[in-house]
Amino acid sequence: MALSHFLEVGCKDPGSFPYHSRCICTSGLPLHSPSCSRGCLLYAVLTSHTIAQLTFFIIVSSSNEYAQHLGGTSTFSGLVIGIPTVFSGLALIPLMRIDQGGYKRPLHFACASACVGNMLYGLAYRANWLYLILLGRIVTGFAFTFWMYTKRYCSDPRIVGLRRRTTLAGWLVLGQGIGFSVGPFVGGLLYKVGFDNSVFNGYTSPAWIMTVIWAVFWALAAVFYEDVPRAVPATQNIPLQQLPAQSSNVSTDGDKADEDEPTRITTSEVARAEPAATQSPTESSSYSAPPLHRMNRGQWGAAITMCWFAMTCFFILGAWEANIPVFTSSHLRSNPFHFSPFAAGNLIALGGACTIPFLLVNLHVARRVQDRHTLATGVAIGLAGLLVALAILGEEQVNYGSLFICWFLVALGFNVASTVTLSLLSKQLPGEWNGRVSLAIQYSNYSGRVTGAVWGGAGVKVGMLNYVGMQVAIVGIGAVMFTTLWKHLKAKTG
C-alpha cells in the first residue's frame, strides 16, 4: 500500500483521523497539493527510522572481529552493539524538554550525533584504541533518540487517528526488517572486500558509509523538512476524554453493538453547549473541574504487559543478532560452521530478508485484525523458533538449515509482535498521554536492546542452552500476563 494512498484513506475516513476537517501533511498544506511532499513529516520519519536501523545493524557482522583486533572480547563486542540504547535513553528526557512538542529539533540532533558517532567508530582503527569504538557507539546512540519520536508520531493525535496507528507502526517494523536484513549483509560484504587502508577498511567502512548517508539525509531534511503545527486550531473537532456515567442507563441493542466505541465529546459540541451552561459567580465557585484521568486496573495491566513485550521482542532480536556471529565462529562442539563475519552477516540478512514479504502482508492484515491477536500470533511464531533452537542445541544437531529456520521464526515472530505494543496501548489511554506512552514503550525497547545484545555476546560463554532457555522463560512470563489480561487488551482495529 503506497504511503500517499495510506494518507488519503486516512483523511477520507472520519474515524481514522480525529481532525478530519482538514487533510494535512506536516507542512499544513492540503494532501493533494503539489507542494505537500516538500514538508511531509511522514517520509522524514520513515526514512530516518530505516537509516537508524541500518546504522544499528551494519556493524553487527564485523564488530566481534573489530573488537578482538583492538584487544577486546566477544562480550565487549556485544556491549558495543547494545550500549547506544543506554545513552539514547539517558538523553531522551532532556531532549523532550526542548523539542517544543515537535520533531524538527530531535531530527537535527539525531543527524548530528550519527555523523559524529560513526566518524569516531571509524577512526578507532587508525588510533588503535579499543574504547574509541565504544565512545563512537555511545555518541551514535544519541541519534537513536529519534526512535522514540517515530513511535510518538505513530500515535500522535494531531496527525494519526486510532484506526491508522497499527498500520503506521507496521511501516516502522518494515523499516526495521530492512535494517536488520540489509545492514548485516552490507557490513559482512564490506568486511570481505577489505579495502587495504588504515582509515577505510573492512572494519571501519560501514561507519564511514553511514556517515555519508546521514550527512546527505541531514542536508535534505534541512532544506525540505517542515515541522508539525504546534497547536491545533480551535475549530477542529478534538476528541475529549470520556466522562464517567452519573446514572445507570438501560442498554439497547444499538448500545450493545457499539459497546467498544468510546463516547467522545468534541470542542464544537462543547461550544454549542456553553451558553446553556453559563453559571453565576456563586454557582461557578462551587463547581469543581473534572478529575484528571486515572488509570484503572485493566489499563495498568495492559500498560505493564505491553512494556514487557516491547522489552521481550527487542531483547530476543538483539540477542540473536549479536549471538549468530559469535556462535558460528566459536569452537563449540555444537557449531559445525566456523563462519567468517561475511558468512554470519549473510545468515542474519537471509533470515531478515525472508521476513519482509510477511511484514508486507502484515501491513494489510493489521487494519482488519485486533492488536491482541497480532501479538499472540507473533509471540507464538517466535516461541516456536526458540523451542526448535533448544531441541537442536540439546541434541547437537545444528546445521545451516535448522539454524536458519530458528532465526527466521524468531525474526518474523517478534518483529510482528513488536508492531502492536505501542498502538494497542495508545488506543486505551488519552491522546494527551501520547508522550508518556511513547516514552514508556521506547525505554522498554532500549532495555531489551542493550541487555539482549550483551546476553547474545555472552551466549557461548554462559552456554547456548542457558542462552536460549532464558529467552523462553522471558516469553513464558509474558504469556502468563497476556492470557490473564486478555479481555483488557481489546482495542480498535487499524
Side-chain angles (χ1 to χ4, degrees), residues 49-66:
H49 177 76
T50 304
I51 296 175
Q53 294 289 345
L54 285 170
T55 304
F56 188 88
F57 292 113
I58 197 170
I59 64 128
V60 167
S61 301
S62 59
S63 65
N64 186 45
E65 297 289 333
Y66 195 7

Side-chain angles (χ1 to χ4, degrees), residues 301-302 304-313 315-316 375 379 383 386-387 414 468-486 489:
I304 294 171
T305 302
M306 291 304 100
C307 287
W308 181 265
F309 276 108
M311 180 278 295
T312 299
C313 290
F315 175 86
I316 294 175
L375 180 63
V379 171
L383 180 59
L386 294 177
L387 295 177
F414 291 107
V468 179
M470 171 69 80
Q471 299 171 51
V472 174
I474 292 174
V475 174
I477 294 171
V480 172
M481 300 166 64
F482 182 78
T483 53
T484 303
L485 296 165
W486 176 260
L489 299 178

Side-chain angles (χ1 to χ4, degrees), residues 163-228:
R163 297 192 181 279
R164 289 294 178 268
R165 293 182 183 178
T166 304
T167 307
L168 189 52
W171 281 101
L172 295 184
V173 172
L174 180 61
Q176 179 178 303
I178 294 172
F180 77 74
S181 301
V182 177
F185 173 76
V186 172
L189 180 62
L190 291 171
Y191 173 84
K192 185 176 180 64
V193 172
F195 303 106
D196 188 15
N197 187 288
S198 62
V199 176
F200 192 89
N201 52 53
Y203 297 134
T204 64
S205 52
W208 290 116
I209 288 175
M210 293 313 304
T211 301
V212 173
I213 291 174
W214 275 107
V216 172
F217 173 74
W218 192 7
L220 293 174
V223 173
F224 296 110
Y225 173 77
E226 295 178 25
D227 211 351
V228 63

Side-chain angles (χ1 to χ4, degrees), residues 6-201:
F6 164 77
L7 287 175
E8 289 171 1
V9 171
C11 290
K12 290 175 183 176
D13 178 8
S16 63
F17 280 76
Y19 311 135
H20 55 84
S21 56
R22 67 169 184 167
C23 301
I24 63 166
C25 191
T26 57
S27 61
L29 297 168
L31 186 61
H32 58 273
S33 169
S35 303
C36 178
S37 60
R38 186 177 186 273
C40 191
L41 176 59
L42 176 63
Y43 295 99
V45 165
L46 296 180
T47 303
S48 63
H49 177 76
T50 304
I51 296 175
Q53 294 289 345
L54 285 170
T55 304
F56 188 88
F57 292 113
I58 197 170
I59 64 128
V60 167
S61 301
S62 59
S63 65
N64 186 45
E65 297 289 333
Y66 195 7
Q68 290 181 356
H69 174 80
L70 296 176
T73 64
S74 295
T75 303
F76 185 85
S77 169
L79 183 64
V80 167
I81 295 172
I83 197 67
T85 56
V86 175
F87 287 84
S88 179
L90 293 175
L92 263 181
I93 293 179
L95 184 60
M96 291 179 69
R97 295 181 182 275
I98 61 172
D99 64 13
Q100 298 180 323
Y103 301 87
K104 188 171 186 176
R105 288 186 177 183
L107 181 61
H108 288 300
F109 176 72
C111 293
S113 301
C115 289
V116 174
N118 280 298
M119 284 191 289
L120 291 176
Y121 186 91
L123 289 171
Y125 186 92
R126 180 66 179 264
N128 196 30
W129 185 29
L130 174 65
Y131 290 95
L132 190 56
I133 64 174
L134 188 65
L135 179 61
R137 290 291 285 177
I138 288 173
V139 177
T140 304
F142 295 138
F144 299 151
T145 53
F146 203 71
W147 277 336
M148 192 280 292
Y149 288 91
T150 62
K151 291 177 173 60
R152 193 173 83 175
Y153 175 88
C154 290
S155 55
D156 193 334
R158 296 172 297 177
I159 310 168
V160 182
L162 292 177
R163 297 192 181 279
R164 289 294 178 268
R165 293 182 183 178
T166 304
T167 307
L168 189 52
W171 281 101
L172 295 184
V173 172
L174 180 61
Q176 179 178 303
I178 294 172
F180 77 74
S181 301
V182 177
F185 173 76
V186 172
L189 180 62
L190 291 171
Y191 173 84
K192 185 176 180 64
V193 172
F195 303 106
D196 188 15
N197 187 288
S198 62
V199 176
F200 192 89
N201 52 53

